[in-house]
Amino acid sequence: MPKPIKILRTRNELQHWRAGLEATRPTVGFVPTMGALHRGHAELLRRIRPRCDVSVLSIFVNPTQFGPSEDLAKYPRTFERDLELACAQGVDVLFAPAPEEMYSSAHSTFVEETQVSRPLCGQFRPGHFRGVTTVVLKLFNLVRPKLALFGMKDAQQFFVLHQMNRDLDLRVSVEAIPTVREPDGLALSSRNAYLSADHRELAPRFYKTLAETSTRLRAGAPLSATLEAGRQALEACGFTVQYLDCVELPTFNSPNVVLPGCPYLLAAAVYLGATRLIDNVIVNPAALTAIGYSAPSFEPAESS
Ligand code: AMP
């Protein structure tokens, strides 16, 4: 008989449970999410299972990472289905606090990463990564995991958290898994459900264009002209491009040229109607292992 999942709603419950582990000191693995779970989240849970003695999943739609004009109220909340998925993946503990449990009305402390969080999404979602780092630090303090897994779907988020972990000596293994995609290449996202049938048909062109752009850059095509061609190709199919850009890894500095064998993140945010999609490709992923990032995070995802 599999052990039943333990559902904890308050910080006190979680801290009490965590303190009870001190005697045996098991390896705690952690997957933070905002719920509306899909196969991408299931893959995070599937991969963390064999790497830890106890797995913790959090579901918390974090208000501080949403801008005033963003979809906090509309963010899908599907708790019963999420619970089924968590049980099927053998999660030990589900932490699902209410917003007021995580943020008292007197909350006034925020954590900010000031380099990696600046370009790409950081430029268009002011305060977003500050909300992410703040909530993840709070969750790390409560769960005290050895290992925390994130998805490369949100690559900038992963690098921001990796940086915070290092800068603040949190001593968590912060790792990422490759983006889980539909068979046609579209990255799984809870926002895909908002796409009309026509937009859903168009959506795979997003990743295809990124992969083609990455392949050209790796082959030595000039950077700004290649990015511009990628942007125009997306606009021509019907996407509204918020950004399509390439940054050096792991600094997130803007390169002038793409050097052979060096790692870069090629990332974009586009709109299809009112739905915002993000996706990315790592250029020269093998180069990241040489600078201390674990290999499974960066399986190549480029068109051949
Ligand atoms: P979210 O609930 O959207 O905040 O995501 C929680 C975690 O799941 C984050 O680490 C995401 O990067 C990860 N994730 C979301 N979608 C995918 C996907 N398609 N493939 C892999 N990981 C994903």
CSV table of all heavy atoms in Angstrom, one decimal, residues 218-255:
chain,number,residue,atom,x,y,z
A,218,ARG,N,24.3,28.9,-33.8
A,218,ARG,CA,25.4,28.0,-33.6
A,218,ARG,C,26.2,27.8,-34.8
A,218,ARG,O,27.4,27.5,-34.7
A,218,ARG,CB,24.8,26.6,-33.2
A,218,ARG,CG,24.6,26.5,-31.7
A,218,ARG,CD,24.7,25.1,-31.2
A,218,ARG,NE,24.1,24.1,-32.1
A,218,ARG,CZ,24.4,22.9,-31.9
A,218,ARG,NH1,25.2,22.4,-31.0
A,218,ARG,NH2,23.8,22.0,-32.8
A,219,ALA,N,25.6,28.0,-36.0
A,219,ALA,CA,26.4,27.8,-37.2
A,219,ALA,C,27.2,29.1,-37.6
A,219,ALA,O,27.8,29.2,-38.6
A,219,ALA,CB,25.4,27.4,-38.4
A,220,GLY,N,27.0,30.1,-36.7
A,220,GLY,CA,27.9,31.3,-37.0
A,220,GLY,C,27.2,32.5,-37.6
A,220,GLY,O,27.8,33.5,-38.0
A,221,ALA,N,25.8,32.4,-37.8
A,221,ALA,CA,25.1,33.5,-38.4
A,221,ALA,C,25.2,34.8,-37.5
A,221,ALA,O,25.3,34.6,-36.3
A,221,ALA,CB,23.6,33.1,-38.5
A,222,PRO,N,25.2,36.0,-38.1
A,222,PRO,CA,25.3,37.2,-37.3
A,222,PRO,C,24.2,37.4,-36.3
A,222,PRO,O,23.0,37.1,-36.7
A,222,PRO,CB,25.4,38.3,-38.3
A,222,PRO,CG,24.8,37.7,-39.5
A,222,PRO,CD,25.0,36.2,-39.5
A,223,LEU,N,24.5,37.8,-35.1
A,223,LEU,CA,23.5,37.8,-34.0
A,223,LEU,C,22.3,38.7,-34.2
A,223,LEU,O,21.2,38.2,-34.3
A,223,LEU,CB,24.2,38.2,-32.7
A,223,LEU,CG,23.4,38.2,-31.4
A,223,LEU,CD1,22.7,36.9,-31.2
A,223,LEU,CD2,24.2,38.6,-30.2
A,224,SER,N,22.5,40.0,-34.4
A,224,SER,CA,21.3,40.8,-34.4
A,224,SER,C,20.5,40.6,-35.7
A,224,SER,O,19.2,40.6,-35.6
A,224,SER,CB,21.7,42.3,-34.3
A,224,SER,OG,22.8,42.7,-35.0
A,225,ALA,N,21.1,40.3,-36.8
A,225,ALA,CA,20.3,40.0,-38.0
A,225,ALA,C,19.5,38.7,-37.9
A,225,ALA,O,18.3,38.6,-38.3
A,225,ALA,CB,21.2,39.9,-39.2
A,226,THR,N,20.1,37.8,-37.2
A,226,THR,CA,19.4,36.5,-37.0
A,226,THR,C,18.2,36.6,-36.0
A,226,THR,O,17.2,36.0,-36.2
A,226,THR,CB,20.4,35.4,-36.5
A,226,THR,OG1,21.5,35.4,-37.4
A,226,THR,CG2,19.8,34.0,-36.5
A,227,LEU,N,18.5,37.4,-35.0
A,227,LEU,CA,17.4,37.6,-34.0
A,227,LEU,C,16.2,38.4,-34.7
A,227,LEU,O,15.0,38.1,-34.5
A,227,LEU,CB,17.8,38.4,-32.8
A,227,LEU,CG,18.8,37.7,-31.9
A,227,LEU,CD1,19.3,38.7,-30.8
A,227,LEU,CD2,18.2,36.4,-31.3
A,228,GLU,N,16.6,39.3,-35.5
A,228,GLU,CA,15.6,40.1,-36.2
A,228,GLU,C,14.8,39.2,-37.2
A,228,GLU,O,13.6,39.3,-37.3
A,228,GLU,CB,16.2,41.3,-37.0
A,228,GLU,CG,15.3,42.3,-37.7
A,228,GLU,CD,14.2,42.8,-36.8
A,228,GLU,OE1,14.3,43.0,-35.6
A,228,GLU,OE2,13.1,43.0,-37.3
A,229,ALA,N,15.5,38.3,-37.9
A,229,ALA,CA,14.8,37.4,-38.8
A,229,ALA,C,13.9,36.5,-38.1
A,229,ALA,O,12.7,36.2,-38.5
A,229,ALA,CB,15.9,36.6,-39.6
A,230,GLY,N,14.3,36.1,-36.9
A,230,GLY,CA,13.4,35.2,-36.1
A,230,GLY,C,12.2,36.0,-35.6
A,230,GLY,O,11.0,35.4,-35.7
A,231,ARG,N,12.4,37.2,-35.2
A,231,ARG,CA,11.2,38.0,-34.8
A,231,ARG,C,10.2,38.2,-35.9
A,231,ARG,O,9.0,38.0,-35.8
A,231,ARG,CB,11.7,39.4,-34.3
A,231,ARG,CG,10.7,40.4,-34.0
A,231,ARG,CD,11.3,41.7,-33.6
A,231,ARG,NE,11.6,41.9,-32.3
A,231,ARG,CZ,10.8,42.3,-31.3
A,231,ARG,NH1,9.5,42.7,-31.6
A,231,ARG,NH2,11.2,42.4,-30.1
A,232,GLN,N,10.8,38.5,-37.1
A,232,GLN,CA,9.9,38.8,-38.3
A,232,GLN,C,9.2,37.5,-38.7
A,232,GLN,O,8.0,37.6,-39.1
A,232,GLN,CB,10.8,39.3,-39.4
A,232,GLN,CG,11.0,40.8,-39.3
A,232,GLN,CD,11.9,41.4,-40.4
A,232,GLN,OE1,12.1,40.8,-41.4
A,232,GLN,NE2,12.5,42.5,-40.1
A,233,ALA,N,9.9,36.4,-38.6
A,233,ALA,CA,9.2,35.1,-39.0
A,233,ALA,C,8.0,34.9,-38.0
A,233,ALA,O,7.0,34.4,-38.5
A,233,ALA,CB,10.2,34.0,-38.9
A,234,LEU,N,8.2,35.1,-36.7
A,234,LEU,CA,7.1,34.9,-35.8
A,234,LEU,C,6.0,35.9,-36.1
A,234,LEU,O,4.8,35.5,-36.1
A,234,LEU,CB,7.6,35.1,-34.3
A,234,LEU,CG,8.5,34.0,-33.8
A,234,LEU,CD1,9.2,34.4,-32.5
A,234,LEU,CD2,7.7,32.7,-33.6
A,235,GLU,N,6.3,37.2,-36.3
A,235,GLU,CA,5.3,38.2,-36.5
A,235,GLU,C,4.5,37.8,-37.8
A,235,GLU,O,3.3,37.9,-37.9
A,235,GLU,CB,5.9,39.6,-36.7
A,235,GLU,CG,6.5,40.1,-35.4
A,235,GLU,CD,5.5,40.9,-34.5
A,235,GLU,OE1,4.3,41.0,-34.9
A,235,GLU,OE2,5.9,41.3,-33.4
A,236,ALA,N,5.2,37.3,-38.8
A,236,ALA,CA,4.6,37.0,-40.1
A,236,ALA,C,3.6,35.8,-39.9
A,236,ALA,O,2.6,35.8,-40.7
A,236,ALA,CB,5.7,36.6,-41.1
A,237,CYS,N,3.9,34.9,-39.0
A,237,CYS,CA,2.9,33.8,-38.8
A,237,CYS,C,1.7,34.3,-38.0
A,237,CYS,O,0.7,33.5,-37.9
A,237,CYS,CB,3.4,32.6,-38.1
A,237,CYS,SG,5.0,32.0,-38.2
A,238,GLY,N,1.8,35.4,-37.3
A,238,GLY,CA,0.6,35.8,-36.5
A,238,GLY,C,0.9,36.0,-35.0
A,238,GLY,O,0.0,36.3,-34.2
A,239,PHE,N,2.1,35.8,-34.6
A,239,PHE,CA,2.5,36.1,-33.2
A,239,PHE,C,2.8,37.6,-33.0
A,239,PHE,O,3.3,38.2,-33.9
A,239,PHE,CB,3.8,35.3,-32.8
A,239,PHE,CG,3.6,33.8,-32.8
A,239,PHE,CD1,4.0,33.1,-33.9
A,239,PHE,CD2,3.2,33.1,-31.7
A,239,PHE,CE1,3.9,31.8,-34.0
A,239,PHE,CE2,3.1,31.7,-31.7
A,239,PHE,CZ,3.4,31.1,-32.9
A,240,THR,N,2.4,38.1,-31.8
A,240,THR,CA,2.9,39.4,-31.4
A,240,THR,C,4.1,39.2,-30.5
A,240,THR,O,4.0,38.6,-29.4
A,240,THR,CB,1.8,40.2,-30.7
A,240,THR,OG1,0.7,40.3,-31.6
A,240,THR,CG2,2.3,41.6,-30.3
A,241,VAL,N,5.3,39.6,-30.9
A,241,VAL,CA,6.5,39.3,-30.2
A,241,VAL,C,6.8,40.4,-29.1
A,241,VAL,O,6.9,41.6,-29.5
A,241,VAL,CB,7.7,39.2,-31.2
A,241,VAL,CG1,9.0,38.9,-30.4
A,241,VAL,CG2,7.5,38.1,-32.2
A,242,GLN,N,6.8,40.0,-27.9
A,242,GLN,CA,7.2,40.9,-26.8
A,242,GLN,C,8.7,41.1,-26.8
A,242,GLN,O,9.3,42.2,-26.8
A,242,GLN,CB,6.7,40.5,-25.5
A,242,GLN,CG,6.9,41.5,-24.4
A,242,GLN,CD,6.4,41.0,-23.1
A,242,GLN,OE1,6.7,40.0,-22.6
A,242,GLN,NE2,5.5,41.8,-22.5
A,243,TYR,N,9.5,40.0,-26.8
A,243,TYR,CA,10.9,40.0,-27.0
A,243,TYR,C,11.4,38.7,-27.6
A,243,TYR,O,10.7,37.7,-27.4
A,243,TYR,CB,11.6,40.3,-25.7
A,243,TYR,CG,11.6,39.2,-24.7
A,243,TYR,CD1,12.5,38.1,-24.7
A,243,TYR,CD2,10.7,39.3,-23.6
A,243,TYR,CE1,12.4,37.1,-23.8
A,243,TYR,CE2,10.7,38.3,-22.7
A,243,TYR,CZ,11.5,37.2,-22.8
A,243,TYR,OH,11.5,36.2,-21.8
A,244,LEU,N,12.5,38.8,-28.3
A,244,LEU,CA,13.2,37.6,-28.8
A,244,LEU,C,14.7,38.0,-28.6
A,244,LEU,O,15.1,38.9,-29.3
A,244,LEU,CB,12.9,37.2,-30.2
A,244,LEU,CG,13.8,36.2,-30.9
A,244,LEU,CD1,13.8,34.8,-30.2
A,244,LEU,CD2,13.4,36.0,-32.4
A,245,ASP,N,15.4,37.3,-27.7
A,245,ASP,CA,16.7,37.8,-27.4
A,245,ASP,C,17.6,36.7,-26.9
A,245,ASP,O,17.1,35.6,-26.6
A,245,ASP,CB,16.6,38.9,-26.2
A,245,ASP,CG,17.7,39.9,-26.3
A,245,ASP,OD1,18.7,39.7,-27.1
A,245,ASP,OD2,17.6,40.9,-25.6
A,246,CYS,N,18.9,37.0,-27.0
A,246,CYS,CA,19.9,36.0,-26.6
A,246,CYS,C,20.8,36.6,-25.6
A,246,CYS,O,21.3,37.7,-25.7
A,246,CYS,CB,20.7,35.7,-27.9
A,246,CYS,SG,22.0,34.5,-27.7
A,247,VAL,N,21.1,35.8,-24.5
A,247,VAL,CA,22.0,36.3,-23.4
A,247,VAL,C,23.0,35.3,-23.1
A,247,VAL,O,22.8,34.1,-23.4
A,247,VAL,CB,21.2,36.7,-22.1
A,247,VAL,CG1,20.2,37.9,-22.3
A,247,VAL,CG2,20.4,35.5,-21.6
A,248,GLU,N,24.2,35.8,-22.6
A,248,GLU,CA,25.2,34.9,-22.2
A,248,GLU,C,24.8,34.1,-21.0
A,248,GLU,O,24.2,34.7,-20.1
A,248,GLU,CB,26.5,35.7,-21.9
A,248,GLU,CG,27.1,36.3,-23.2
A,248,GLU,CD,28.2,37.3,-22.8
A,248,GLU,OE1,28.6,37.4,-21.6
A,248,GLU,OE2,28.7,37.9,-23.8
A,249,LEU,N,25.3,32.9,-20.8
A,249,LEU,CA,25.0,32.1,-19.6
A,249,LEU,C,26.4,31.9,-18.9
A,249,LEU,O,27.4,31.7,-19.5
A,249,LEU,CB,24.4,30.8,-19.9
A,249,LEU,CG,23.0,30.8,-20.4
A,249,LEU,CD1,22.5,29.4,-20.8
A,249,LEU,CD2,22.1,31.5,-19.4
A,250,PRO,N,26.4,32.0,-17.5
A,250,PRO,CA,25.2,32.2,-16.7
A,250,PRO,C,25.0,33.7,-16.3
A,250,PRO,O,24.2,33.9,-15.4
A,250,PRO,CB,25.5,31.4,-15.5
A,250,PRO,CG,27.0,31.5,-15.3
A,250,PRO,CD,27.6,31.7,-16.7
A,251,THR,N,25.7,34.6,-16.9
A,251,THR,CA,25.7,36.0,-16.5
A,251,THR,C,24.4,36.8,-16.9
A,251,THR,O,24.1,37.8,-16.3
A,251,THR,CB,26.9,36.8,-17.0
A,251,THR,OG1,26.8,36.7,-18.5
A,251,THR,CG2,28.2,36.2,-16.5
A,252,PHE,N,23.8,36.4,-18.0
A,252,PHE,CA,22.7,37.1,-18.6
A,252,PHE,C,23.1,38.4,-19.2
A,252,PHE,O,22.3,39.3,-19.5
A,252,PHE,CB,21.5,37.2,-17.7
A,252,PHE,CG,20.6,36.0,-17.7
A,252,PHE,CD1,21.1,34.8,-17.3
A,252,PHE,CD2,19.3,36.1,-18.0
A,252,PHE,CE1,20.3,33.6,-17.3
A,252,PHE,CE2,18.5,35.0,-18.0
A,252,PHE,CZ,19.0,33.7,-17.6
A,253,ASN,N,24.5,38.6,-19.5
A,253,ASN,CA,24.9,39.8,-20.2
A,253,ASN,C,24.5,39.6,-21.7
A,253,ASN,O,24.3,38.5,-22.2
A,253,ASN,CB,26.4,39.9,-20.1
A,253,ASN,CG,26.9,40.3,-18.7
A,253,ASN,OD1,26.2,41.0,-18.0
A,253,ASN,ND2,28.1,39.9,-18.3
A,254,SER,N,24.4,40.8,-22.3
A,254,SER,CA,24.1,40.8,-23.8
A,254,SER,C,25.4,40.6,-24.6
A,254,SER,O,26.3,41.4,-24.4
A,254,SER,CB,23.5,42.1,-24.2
A,254,SER,OG,22.2,42.2,-23.9
A,255,PRO,N,25.4,39.5,-25.4
A,255,PRO,CA,26.6,39.3,-26.2
A,255,PRO,C,26.6,40.2,-27.5
A,255,PRO,O,25.5,40.6,-27.9
A,255,PRO,CB,26.5,37.9,-26.6
A,255,PRO,CG,25.1,37.6,-26.7
A,255,PRO,CD,24.4,38.5,-25.7
